Every structure is written in structure tokens, then in C-alpha cells.
Amino acid sequence: MRKVWLLVIVMFYHVFPSKGISNVSTRPSTVNIGALMSFNSTVGRVAKVAIEAAVDDINSNATILNGTKLNISMLDTKLSTGFLGIIDSLRLMEKDTVAIIGPQFSVMAHVISHIANEMQVPLLSFAATDPTLTSLQFPYFVRTTQSDLYQMAAVAEIVDHFQWRDVIAIYIDDDHGRNGVAALGDKLAEKRGKISYKAPFRPNNITREEINNALVKIALIESRVIVLHIYPSFGLQVLHVARSLGMMGSGYVWIATDWLSTLLDSNPSLFTTQAMNDIQGVITLRMYTPESEIKRNFSSRWNKLSQKKDPEEGPFALNTFGLYAYDTVWLLASALDAFFKSGGTLSFSNDSSLNMLKGDTLKLDTMGVFVDGVMLLEKILEVNRTGLTGQMMFSPDGNLVHPSYEVINVIGTGIRRIGYWSETSGLHTGETPNHSNSSEGLFGVIWPGQTTQTPRGWVFASNGRHLRIGVPLRISYREFVSRTEGTEMFGGYCIDVFTAALNLLPYPVPYKFVPFGDGKTNPLNTKLLNKITAGEFDAVVGDITITTNRTKIVDFTQPYIESGLVVVAPIRKMKSSAWAFLRPFTPMMWFVTGMFFLAVGVVVWILERRLNEDFRGPSRRQFVTIIWFSFSTLFFAHREKTVSTLGRLVLIIWLFVVLILNSSYIASLTSILTVEQLSSSVKGIESLATSNERIGFLSGSFAENYLTEELNIHRSRLVPLNSPSEYEKALKDGPANGGVTAIIDERAYMELFLATRCEYGIVGQEFTKMGWGFAFPRDSPLAIDMSTAILKLSENGDLQRIHDKWLTRSACSSEGAKQGIDRLELESFWGLFLLSGIACFIALLCYVIRMAYRFSRHPNSNPEGCSSYYTRLRSFFTFVNEREEEEEKNIMSKRKRTEKGSSRRVAHEDGLIMDGSSVSVHIENDAAQG
């Protein structure tokens, strides 16, 4: 409690600020920066050397800060993550510190960020990965490493890649652990996964007994995918206890966050110790840093640096956090250079209100607020440089751009990279995380237990609990589900399929059937499925139809039987009659066929009568010829020959139509006369829905909602029935006596109902396509394995054998109860009639055009110069009515008469000329004599 009060005093020292300002030059000779880390930790030991090396490199190069030197004060926070870290940060503030590198732990970063906000001092952390630190609450916190938000996205994608759904999270119960696991839960939810169990540990002083107790509980849970998000100091201890409990064997999956790769990079000697036996097959992540010349140069001089900076410890290996710590100092130097170039000054406001807090340990009265801290923060976020870890540039959300990780598998005495993850490309196996041509997924993994087979990711819990399987206690159709009287034994088709599928699973499944229902009425399947969501049942087995609404609350297996809705109604045998030969065609079909026979006969008569003597003669004879020719084509027995091209075209198309009609008629009539025909007043669901008759359905089934919501049948027309006997009675009574016209139920039920009741049958077509399946909780892996088992039953024939055992059909099954007559309707032949009609029309059009053209060239086309339309039309019909030989004779005779008249005129004119000549001769003779 005393610590809390002291913290409050420290945080509110700025309530009464002073207006005194102390200024220094724009380009000071030195700039004070601080660093907070745990020198004895895996990360802190490496980071300390890297930061000091970066400061030395910067100070030795006068061109970076133009002569200004970095003066760094480094404080060891030990392994403290709380109050002592606050004291250390306040000590740094006494020295007019412009920025603090660190702290190393996310918990301390949360606390110190409040002080940084008050003092307006940027806080650059190279190791605090808690995703919530980059929030509006902490504007002065700058993360110079990758956020756990992206690391957890990579873990979630690995889980989804191997098609696991449930994981167990083991973590340290502090800000770092809780917020990291929360991010993991969010990323898994995006992949339809979840954290099924969380095992938190205390942040400090974890005992082996606590670890053992937590892992024993985890061993009793179904999930076998474990994500270990913990500190390096505790991680190996957890894995060692897990191995002693047999939890590092076949079937388990261990995914460690980047703490394990950091530990292995920092301590290469671990590869030759017994600790490697505890981490075989583990998958871990490592922040990706691209290879570059500056990185190779720094790595080559690392041993000398670590030996020089820490001679007692001797040379130790470099890890990724050391690279980020080195780059953090350079990033700050670049920002300070830009800060000074923009006119920034190292000004701090003095606060005399802290005089009351003077002491020997903390001189809070000497602390001041960094006046230009906002400007320096802006310059830090604007930096864009390339360092040892690649591009150092911040996104608008305050995180480094291009986050990416290596996916590593621990094998034998080493590690193997099996792929990459990046925010843009996801999981892939390329040369780099952003390799565009790389393939998706990962290389092969060696899992715990030295196996290459991907673990299933879950098993049945070994806590002795049996699965509670809910079974509907039916009072009808006991062939599907039935209970032996006085026992807890169940049988039936559904039960046999379920047990047969369980026997195919590669693991044992302890279970027990639990009846659901009162045994007097059929239970509602929807209520039974709700028991799964309530946790009372682990699964439901029975005649459960898979519907859209039900899949929203549970997961179903592959359907093991198809069963859509059908209509069952009373049927009667159709008796044969003297007019049975008329049944194949509907009345409209008969009418249209007869009209086309006559129409084709008329068209052929028109096209043939000018050329064909068979189509000429008296009117009575022509009428009989048309009728005879038309209907004789039905038997291809017409005697009249067609000689015109157009007539032959029309006739050949019509004969093709007649061939189809004849074949269809014979086939349908044969079926009518040889197969027993059944008829019903109900034709199917369409006629039933449009009528006002009463309809029966199975009480409690989904059929009621389907009929009312999908088909808009009023609920008052629906009659709930409970058993096949009630079905039979309601159908016998009929709607006139309080019964029903038809029953609507699933085909599987109706096939059993009709097996011994031949006076009823299925009418119309099955109007829904559904199936039955076993129900499990959402995202249950058992549902997937059971679906695979059902497919195997179907492939090896066992599913059909179980069906034949329980659902054997009798002779009067519904297969032979198809509703009566399939009469041939006009809709089936209108295309043929259309083709024939088009041929007739085109032939007549061509004929008329041809006749009009020939008539225009005929000598009698304009008789006696008459211009009367009626006269010309009568002349045209007279012309058309003439036979072609007569037309030619008339044309020839007309030509002869014309030629004879012309010769007479010529002879008469010649006579006159001759007579004139003789007179002139006589005159001339007389004149000569005179």
C-alpha cells in the first residue's frame, strides 16, 4: 500500500508547474539519453552490449550528429517489472534525459509510459511486444520491434493451416502474457478457431509443483495444440515438466512464441545439452531480419564486442532483440539530427512544486518537462532508414512496417526453417517472407514423438467422462430409433449407422446414450438440438433432418440417408375402357395435331395442283383428296405423288413430325394398356398448395414451418399427426369427415408407411432435397471424423446393408405408386409443330411470289386494258387455277393469233401499194398514148 501511495505522489508532482525555463544551445555538445533493461536476462545481456556499441559507433562518426555526442545512462532493472522500474526511470529524468531506450518488459513499459506522457519524453522499446502499448493512451511510447499482434496472427495461421480449431494457451499472467493471448484469441476467431483453455502462471517464482498441476489439468483436456507464450527464464522448465508427464510425445503440438528462438540464438550451447530432448518437435517463431552487408559486418565483430563489454561473462551469441536494440539507438540519433536541423532545443521546464519531495535518493525538484518532446517524437516517427533489421519505418498505427517471421522446427541437435509468415503473403515457403513466387504453406514438420504425420490436434479427454449422446424417444417409426423396454439399450437404423461409424474411427470413443422425451409423444428435434448448445449433450443421434436453421446452432456430419418431403394421398387403379386409345394425348394435343394434318394437306394441294393431275378435278374430288392425303401421311400410305420442289420440302418435314408423334403415341398407349395405372385427385405439391384442402404432417417436424413459411400455406389447413395409424385414419376419413386430403412428410418415413398400405402412394415429385445427419457442437472435430467414417461406410457397402436390414421394402412400396397417367401434352411437341408451320409458311410465300411474277409476264395479266383491281385479282386466281400445260398452250395460241393478225395487216398494206402502182402505170400509159 505504501508503494501505491508513493507512486501516486510521483505521478502528480506536475500539478503545480513552475514557469521557470532553462535553455541550452540548439546544438549542444552532448545529449542525455537513458536505457532501462535487465542486465542478467537473456535479452538484456545482449541488448546492453548492442546499445553501447551503437553509441560508440555514433559518437565516433562526427557526421551523424554534427559533433554532438550521445551520453547514455544505463540502469539495471534486475528482473523487476514494477515499482523499482519506476524509480529507475525517475532517476534518468533527473539528468534532463530527452529519450529513454527501453524498458525491456511490457509490464514496466505500461507504468513508465504514464511518466513519459507527463515528462513528454519519448520511450523507445526494443523488446516490449505487448500489442496494447501502441494505443492512444501512450502517445510517447514508440515500439522499435515487432508487435505480438503480428506474431499471434502468424500462430493463428499455422493453426488454421493444419486445420486445427481448438488450442490451449499457457502464459504468464501479466500485461505481456494476457494481452498477447487476447490477440491470439482474436486472430483465431477470424479463422473460426478458439482458445479452449487458458493456463496462466504467476509472473514471478513459478514452482515446479505449480507447473505440474497446470499441465496435469491440460492433459485431461481434449485439445492437444498448446501455445506457449512465456518468458525465456520459465519456458524450458515448463517443457521439461511436460516431457516428464509424457506430453512431448506423439499426438501433441507445441507452438512456442519467439522466446524459444531467442533463447536458442543466445545460448548455442543448449544444442549439446539434455534440454534439447525437452523441445524436440516444437515449432517456434523468430522475427525475420534480412541478410545484408552491415548485418554481416556487425555479426562478425560481435564476439569481440561482447568480450570487451562483459569480460566476466565472456563472448555470448547475438539474438534478434540485440539487432533491434542496436537499430533503436541509430533511429534515435537520426531523429535527433532532424530535430536539431528543424530548430529543436533541449529545453526543460522546472517545477518547484516538488520541493516538498526532496530527499537523498530522489531529487524530484530538479526534474523538468521536455518542452520540445512533441517535436522529437514526430521526428522519431518520421525516420525512414535501413538498419541491421531491415527497413526502420513506422506505419500510421505506430508499428514497424513489413512485419514478418521465420517459422522454425526444432529437430535433433539443431533447428530447421520450414517457412515464413508475413502480413502481406501469409505462410509460404520462399527465399524471403515477401517472395512473390513462393508456394503457400510450410515444409514438412517433425512433430513431437519423431513423427512426420500431422497430429489430429485433439483426443478424447482421459478423465473417464463418457460422451452423453442424446437420442429421441420416438413412439412411431421405431425402425429408425427404438429403445428396448426396461433397459438403456437402443437400436434401429440410425443407431446402427452411428455405432458402425464409431468403429471406423482410429481412436476409442467412450459414450452412453441418453433418452430424450416422455415416451408418449414424439419429442421436438429442435429442443433436442438446443440441449447441445446448453452443454447437456455432447451429440445427438437419431432421425435429425439437416436444415439451414439447425446448422446455425450445431454442426452436422455428412448425411447418411437422403430424405426430402413428399406428398402421399389415396390412389385408385384406373380401369380400362373402350376409349383407352385416346389417353396418350391430351385433348389440346389431339386438336392441334388434327388441325396440322388438315393444314399440311391444304398447303400441299395448293403447291401441287398446277403441276400434279392427282390434285385436280372437280371440287368434290379435290376436297376428298385433301382429306385423304392429310391423314394418310399418318401411316405413310399416301398414294398421291408430289412433283413440286416446295411440296416435297413441306411433306418431308411433316413426315418427320408424324414419325415422332406416331412413335410417342405407340409408346404411351403400350404403357397404358400393359402397366397398372394409378390415379389420384392430388397431382402434387403445386395443386395441393393452391387448393383449400386440409393437409396432414408429422407433429414436431420441420415440415410445418416449411409449409407455412416457404409455400405460404395457411396454418389452419395443417393437421398435426403423431403416428402411421393416425396417418391412415386421417386419409381414410378424408376432408369431408374431419380427415385430410394428403400427408406431407419425409420420404424415409413414407416408404415405411407405404410398405404395407398399397391403397396410398406418393404423388408428384419430391420437392425438397435434404438428409439426416448426426449433430455435434459447433466446430467439433468429431463431426469431421464421423463424416469421413460415414463416407467409408457408403463406399464399402455397409451403409446399404444396414439400410436393407431395417428398411426393407415390400411389393407394394412407393416405387410402384407413381401417380397414374403421364399424358403427352402439347408442350412436349410445340417445337415440331412450329418447324412444320414455318416450312408451310415459307413454301406458300415462295409460291405466291413466284405466281405473282409469272402472272405479271402473262399476256392476260391486264385483260382488255382493264385497270379494275377486282378484275385483275380474278384474272390472277384464274391464272393460278390453270394447269401449267394449259398456261403454256394459251400463251402459244395467243402468240399465234397475234402473229396471224400481224401478217394480215402486212398483206393488206402490200395490196394497197400494189393497187396504187397499177393505177399509176395505167395513167402513164394513157398519157403516152395521148
Side-chain angles (χ1 to χ4, degrees), residues 827-840:
E827 286 78 3
S828 302
F829 300 94
W830 70 269
L832 290 172
F833 288 126
L834 178 63
L835 179 63
S836 179
I838 291 174
C840 292

PDB file of all heavy atoms in Angstrom, residues 827-840:
ATOM      1  N   GLU A 827     -46.970 -29.138 -74.854  1.00  0.00           N
ATOM      2  CA  GLU A 827     -45.687 -28.512 -74.515  1.00  0.00           C
ATOM      3  C   GLU A 827     -44.497 -29.356 -74.969  1.00  0.00           C
ATOM      4  O   GLU A 827     -43.407 -28.836 -75.227  1.00  0.00           O
ATOM      5  CB  GLU A 827     -45.596 -28.278 -73.006  1.00  0.00           C
ATOM      6  CG  GLU A 827     -46.446 -27.130 -72.491  1.00  0.00           C
ATOM      7  CD  GLU A 827     -47.916 -27.506 -72.364  1.00  0.00           C
ATOM      8  OE1 GLU A 827     -48.233 -28.690 -72.632  1.00  0.00           O
ATOM      9  OE2 GLU A 827     -48.741 -26.648 -72.018  1.00  0.00           O
ATOM     10  N   SER A 828     -44.709 -30.668 -75.060  1.00  0.00           N
ATOM     11  CA  SER A 828     -43.610 -31.548 -75.437  1.00  0.00           C
ATOM     12  C   SER A 828     -43.352 -31.568 -76.939  1.00  0.00           C
ATOM     13  O   SER A 828     -42.311 -32.073 -77.373  1.00  0.00           O
ATOM     14  CB  SER A 828     -43.894 -32.981 -74.950  1.00  0.00           C
ATOM     15  OG  SER A 828     -44.090 -33.015 -73.556  1.00  0.00           O
ATOM     16  N   PHE A 829     -44.287 -31.051 -77.746  1.00  0.00           N
ATOM     17  CA  PHE A 829     -44.173 -31.180 -79.205  1.00  0.00           C
ATOM     18  C   PHE A 829     -44.319 -29.858 -79.943  1.00  0.00           C
ATOM     19  O   PHE A 829     -44.320 -29.840 -81.167  1.00  0.00           O
ATOM     20  CB  PHE A 829     -45.240 -32.151 -79.735  1.00  0.00           C
ATOM     21  CG  PHE A 829     -45.133 -33.539 -79.177  1.00  0.00           C
ATOM     22  CD1 PHE A 829     -45.863 -33.915 -78.060  1.00  0.00           C
ATOM     23  CD2 PHE A 829     -44.294 -34.471 -79.756  1.00  0.00           C
ATOM     24  CE1 PHE A 829     -45.768 -35.194 -77.541  1.00  0.00           C
ATOM     25  CE2 PHE A 829     -44.185 -35.750 -79.242  1.00  0.00           C
ATOM     26  CZ  PHE A 829     -44.920 -36.109 -78.130  1.00  0.00           C
ATOM     27  N   TRP A 830     -44.448 -28.742 -79.213  1.00  0.00           N
ATOM     28  CA  TRP A 830     -44.708 -27.494 -79.918  1.00  0.00           C
ATOM     29  C   TRP A 830     -43.548 -27.109 -80.844  1.00  0.00           C
ATOM     30  O   TRP A 830     -43.753 -26.432 -81.853  1.00  0.00           O
ATOM     31  CB  TRP A 830     -45.008 -26.380 -78.929  1.00  0.00           C
ATOM     32  CG  TRP A 830     -43.835 -25.916 -78.100  1.00  0.00           C
ATOM     33  CD1 TRP A 830     -43.454 -26.384 -76.898  1.00  0.00           C
ATOM     34  CD2 TRP A 830     -42.904 -24.895 -78.464  1.00  0.00           C
ATOM     35  NE1 TRP A 830     -42.330 -25.739 -76.470  1.00  0.00           N
ATOM     36  CE2 TRP A 830     -41.969 -24.809 -77.402  1.00  0.00           C
ATOM     37  CE3 TRP A 830     -42.750 -24.050 -79.573  1.00  0.00           C
ATOM     38  CZ2 TRP A 830     -40.916 -23.911 -77.420  1.00  0.00           C
ATOM     39  CZ3 TRP A 830     -41.697 -23.153 -79.593  1.00  0.00           C
ATOM     40  CH2 TRP A 830     -40.798 -23.088 -78.517  1.00  0.00           C
ATOM     41  N   GLY A 831     -42.351 -27.536 -80.516  1.00  0.00           N
ATOM     42  CA  GLY A 831     -41.224 -27.239 -81.395  1.00  0.00           C
ATOM     43  C   GLY A 831     -41.370 -27.897 -82.756  1.00  0.00           C
ATOM     44  O   GLY A 831     -41.041 -27.297 -83.792  1.00  0.00           O
ATOM     45  N   LEU A 832     -41.852 -29.158 -82.749  1.00  0.00           N
ATOM     46  CA  LEU A 832     -42.069 -29.852 -84.027  1.00  0.00           C
ATOM     47  C   LEU A 832     -43.155 -29.166 -84.850  1.00  0.00           C
ATOM     48  O   LEU A 832     -43.012 -28.969 -86.073  1.00  0.00           O
ATOM     49  CB  LEU A 832     -42.446 -31.307 -83.757  1.00  0.00           C
ATOM     50  CG  LEU A 832     -41.328 -32.206 -83.203  1.00  0.00           C
ATOM     51  CD1 LEU A 832     -41.901 -33.561 -82.804  1.00  0.00           C
ATOM     52  CD2 LEU A 832     -40.232 -32.382 -84.238  1.00  0.00           C
ATOM     53  N   PHE A 833     -44.247 -28.820 -84.164  1.00  0.00           N
ATOM     54  CA  PHE A 833     -45.327 -28.136 -84.887  1.00  0.00           C
ATOM     55  C   PHE A 833     -44.862 -26.777 -85.414  1.00  0.00           C
ATOM     56  O   PHE A 833     -45.249 -26.358 -86.515  1.00  0.00           O
ATOM     57  CB  PHE A 833     -46.536 -27.959 -83.978  1.00  0.00           C
ATOM     58  CG  PHE A 833     -47.273 -29.249 -83.704  1.00  0.00           C
ATOM     59  CD1 PHE A 833     -47.523 -29.659 -82.406  1.00  0.00           C
ATOM     60  CD2 PHE A 833     -47.710 -30.049 -84.741  1.00  0.00           C
ATOM     61  CE1 PHE A 833     -48.198 -30.841 -82.145  1.00  0.00           C
ATOM     62  CE2 PHE A 833     -48.388 -31.242 -84.493  1.00  0.00           C
ATOM     63  CZ  PHE A 833     -48.622 -31.631 -83.191  1.00  0.00           C
ATOM     64  N   LEU A 834     -44.055 -26.091 -84.651  1.00  0.00           N
ATOM     65  CA  LEU A 834     -43.542 -24.799 -85.100  1.00  0.00           C
ATOM     66  C   LEU A 834     -42.668 -24.970 -86.339  1.00  0.00           C
ATOM     67  O   LEU A 834     -42.761 -24.188 -87.299  1.00  0.00           O
ATOM     68  CB  LEU A 834     -42.743 -24.142 -83.970  1.00  0.00           C
ATOM     69  CG  LEU A 834     -42.096 -22.801 -84.293  1.00  0.00           C
ATOM     70  CD1 LEU A 834     -43.163 -21.764 -84.605  1.00  0.00           C
ATOM     71  CD2 LEU A 834     -41.223 -22.332 -83.138  1.00  0.00           C
ATOM     72  N   LEU A 835     -41.845 -26.017 -86.347  1.00  0.00           N
ATOM     73  CA  LEU A 835     -40.992 -26.275 -87.506  1.00  0.00           C
ATOM     74  C   LEU A 835     -41.822 -26.550 -88.745  1.00  0.00           C
ATOM     75  O   LEU A 835     -41.534 -26.016 -89.823  1.00  0.00           O
ATOM     76  CB  LEU A 835     -40.075 -27.469 -87.193  1.00  0.00           C
ATOM     77  CG  LEU A 835     -39.117 -27.901 -88.306  1.00  0.00           C
ATOM     78  CD1 LEU A 835     -38.131 -26.796 -88.620  1.00  0.00           C
ATOM     79  CD2 LEU A 835     -38.382 -29.170 -87.893  1.00  0.00           C
ATOM     80  N   SER A 836     -42.838 -27.367 -88.581  1.00  0.00           N
ATOM     81  CA  SER A 836     -43.694 -27.673 -89.731  1.00  0.00           C
ATOM     82  C   SER A 836     -44.460 -26.444 -90.203  1.00  0.00           C
ATOM     83  O   SER A 836     -44.606 -26.204 -91.408  1.00  0.00           O
ATOM     84  CB  SER A 836     -44.665 -28.798 -89.351  1.00  0.00           C
ATOM     85  OG  SER A 836     -45.515 -29.110 -90.426  1.00  0.00           O
ATOM     86  N   GLY A 837     -44.947 -25.634 -89.258  1.00  0.00           N
ATOM     87  CA  GLY A 837     -45.674 -24.429 -89.641  1.00  0.00           C
ATOM     88  C   GLY A 837     -44.799 -23.443 -90.385  1.00  0.00           C
ATOM     89  O   GLY A 837     -45.239 -22.819 -91.362  1.00  0.00           O
ATOM     90  N   ILE A 838     -43.556 -23.291 -89.947  1.00  0.00           N
ATOM     91  CA  ILE A 838     -42.629 -22.381 -90.626  1.00  0.00           C
ATOM     92  C   ILE A 838     -42.353 -22.866 -92.042  1.00  0.00           C
ATOM     93  O   ILE A 838     -42.299 -22.073 -92.999  1.00  0.00           O
ATOM     94  CB  ILE A 838     -41.319 -22.261 -89.818  1.00  0.00           C
ATOM     95  CG1 ILE A 838     -41.579 -21.519 -88.508  1.00  0.00           C
ATOM     96  CG2 ILE A 838     -40.249 -21.544 -90.620  1.00  0.00           C
ATOM     97  CD1 ILE A 838     -40.375 -21.474 -87.594  1.00  0.00           C
ATOM     98  N   ALA A 839     -42.191 -24.189 -92.203  1.00  0.00           N
ATOM     99  CA  ALA A 839     -41.951 -24.734 -93.545  1.00  0.00           C
ATOM    100  C   ALA A 839     -43.133 -24.464 -94.464  1.00  0.00           C
ATOM    101  O   ALA A 839     -42.956 -24.089 -95.638  1.00  0.00           O
ATOM    102  CB  ALA A 839     -41.681 -26.235 -93.438  1.00  0.00           C
ATOM    103  N   CYS A 840     -44.355 -24.642 -93.948  1.00  0.00           N
ATOM    104  CA  CYS A 840     -45.548 -24.373 -94.759  1.00  0.00           C
ATOM    105  C   CYS A 840     -45.638 -22.901 -95.152  1.00  0.00           C
ATOM    106  O   CYS A 840     -45.938 -22.559 -96.296  1.00  0.00           O
ATOM    107  CB  CYS A 840     -46.804 -24.794 -93.997  1.00  0.00           C
ATOM    108  SG  CYS A 840     -46.964 -26.575 -93.754  1.00  0.00           S
TER     109      CYS A 840
END
